[in-house]
Amino acid sequence: MDTKSLSDRILNHDRRALARGITLVESARADHRSQASELLARLAGAGRQSLRIGLSGTPGVGKSTFIESFGMMLIGQGLKVAVLAVDPSSARSGGSILGDKTRMERLSREKNAFIRPSPSQSHLGGVARRTREAIALCEAAGYDVVLIETVGVGQSETVVSEMSDLFLLLLAPAGGDELQGVKRGIMEMADMILVNKADGDLKAAATRTCADYAGALRLLRKRPQDPEDFPKAMTVSAVEQHGLDAAWKEMQSLVQWRRDNGHWQANRAAQAKYWFDQEVRHTLLARLDTAKAKADMDRLKDEVASGRLSPTTAAEKMLAMLN
């Protein structure tokens, strides 16, 4: 693959080239990984930045509907929107199960939108390992906003916050007791909580739920990267497109405050360090996936099982062989 030609096409907003580039960075083949690194290095020089918004929520809360309505609103304001929807993976084939792209019909037809479902495979937080690199490609392609939708609420959603500038938690209307169903760690990561489905018979329940979460947020420890009234809870209706514009204005206000006070760039720098650390760890683990390493592991496992070696000694021998 000619990475120079591909990078030029991506920088010129070619959606087909962008899709091909993301396929390349998601590949685990050694030759593809080398080409992916070269492609990313070429695109890094463009210096383009998007607003990265991570989005999580309980299953059935209406994440796809919200993203479609929110994305259509942003496009209406002249912005280009990319959506990286991380789907649950089939244990049999490794492919996406839900296919979120099929549930965003209007948005998928927009020329200023790009939607890419990616199977989560076995990676923590329901975020594909290469989603971070896919974000970099979308930024280089000139998308103003990149939405990263994750698989439900889980204890490893920290991964999402480590690749986004804003982290939104989408929740459904329910009673105050539902506060018990949301892990405190997710609440502490959220920059905004959006109570969806605030329409029809659920509108009153959504308002009450929003008040409950607003109260809960006030009890959390103050974070240095937040202005006085953040994080905050708001109600939205993805179906009626109500509250989306107000939520977007609050997001812009938060982003501007963080830029003005030095938190934006500090956060990006901290994320870059985090992903360097993760990449080193993943690369070391990949060295155990070769035929020779597996054979050595099996031999040492037999020695450990028979009692001839302790697990600690065997591990030291294995690491020495890797070096």
Side-chain angles (χ1 to χ4, degrees):
M1 183 180 295
D2 182 358
T3 55
K4 184 181 186 309
S5 172
L6 188 61
S7 63
D8 289 342
R9 289 168 57 200
I10 290 173
L11 291 171
N12 286 324
H13 319 299
D14 184 330
R15 287 202 298 180
R16 184 170 294 181
L18 174 58
R20 193 177 179 192
I22 292 177
T23 299
L24 180 65
V25 301
E26 286 179 345
S27 174
R29 277 176 43 175
D31 57 332
H32 286 174
R33 290 307 310 150
S34 175
Q35 290 177 325
S37 296
E38 185 180 335
L39 176 64
L40 289 164
R42 288 182 181 278
L43 294 174
R48 295 174 179 172
Q49 282 194 341
S50 307
L51 173 59
R52 308 169 184 171
I53 301 177
L55 180 75
S56 189
T58 49
V61 76
K63 293 191 292 294
S64 296
T65 307
F66 171 82
I67 287 174
E68 181 168 58
S69 296
F70 187 60
M72 292 296 292
M73 182 202 71
L74 295 178
I75 288 171
Q77 295 182 12
L79 300 175
K80 295 182 68 177
V81 179
V83 180
L84 300 175
V86 185
D87 279 351
S89 296
S90 164
R92 180 171 297 177
S93 68
S96 298
I97 293 175
L98 299 180
D100 273 324
K101 189 169 184 176
T102 63
R103 296 186 288 158
M104 301 181 196
E105 288 185 33
R106 286 186 302 146
L107 193 60
S108 63
R109 289 196 296 265
E110 288 288 332
K111 65 181 177 64
N112 286 328
F114 176 82
I115 304 175
R116 174 71 178 218
S118 297
S120 60
Q121 299 169 356
S122 59
H123 302 299
L124 290 178
V127 180
R129 177 186 168 192
R130 297 300 172 190
T131 298
R132 174 184 56 85
E133 294 177 348
I135 293 171
L137 294 184
C138 291
E139 285 188 320
Y143 287 90
D144 302 295
V145 179
V146 180
L147 296 166
I148 309 115
E149 179 193 0
T150 70
V151 182
V153 174
Q155 65 185 32
S156 300
E157 295 296 296
T158 309
V159 180
V160 193
S161 66
E162 290 292 351
M163 62 174 69
S164 56
D165 303 309
L166 295 178
F167 181 62
L168 309 182
L169 181 59
L170 204 62
L171 298 172
D177 290 342
E178 282 297 308
L179 281 167
Q180 301 297 324
V182 177
K183 293 180 173 65
R184 180 186 175 93
I186 304 292
M187 292 272 289
E188 289 174 333
M189 284 188 293
D191 295 305
M192 290 180 67
I193 290 178
L194 302 178
V195 182
N196 194 23
K197 304 185 179 181
D199 48 59
D201 295 339
L202 291 175
K203 190 168 185 178
T207 303
R208 288 195 302 271
T209 302
C210 183
D212 289 339
Y213 281 105
L217 288 172
R218 284 194 289 270
L219 298 176
L220 298 179
R221 185 183 294 115
K222 184 71 177 171
R223 305 181 306 183
Q225 71 268 31
D226 291 331
E228 193 56 42
D229 54 344
F230 278 88
K232 62 173 56 180
M234 301 179 70
T235 58
V236 296
S237 168
V239 173
E240 296 182 352
Q241 288 89 47
H242 171 73
L244 299 179
D245 192 54
W248 173 236
K249 286 178 180 175
E250 292 292 352
M251 292 179 215
Q252 289 177 298
S253 169
L254 177 56
V255 167
Q256 191 57 51
W257 186 88
R258 286 179 175 172
R259 284 184 184 275
D260 294 341
N261 289 273
H263 295 292
W264 171 279
Q265 202 54 44
N267 182 53
R268 286 278 178 117
Q271 288 180 355
K273 290 179 181 178
Y274 172 86
W275 287 108
F276 163 70
D277 181 71
Q278 292 301 307
E279 197 60 36
V280 170
R281 292 170 187 269
H282 282 303
T283 303
L284 287 173
L285 287 173
R287 291 175 64 182
L288 293 174
D289 208 29
T290 63
K292 182 181 182 305
K294 286 178 180 177
D296 290 336
M297 284 279 284
D298 289 340
R299 180 174 55 78
L300 289 170
K301 281 178 186 176
D302 290 339
E303 294 195 41
V304 169
S306 66
R308 294 194 299 274
L309 283 178
S310 70
T312 303
T313 303
E316 289 173 352
K317 283 179 174 288
M318 186 66 217
L319 290 173
M321 283 188 278
L322 287 177
N323 290 330

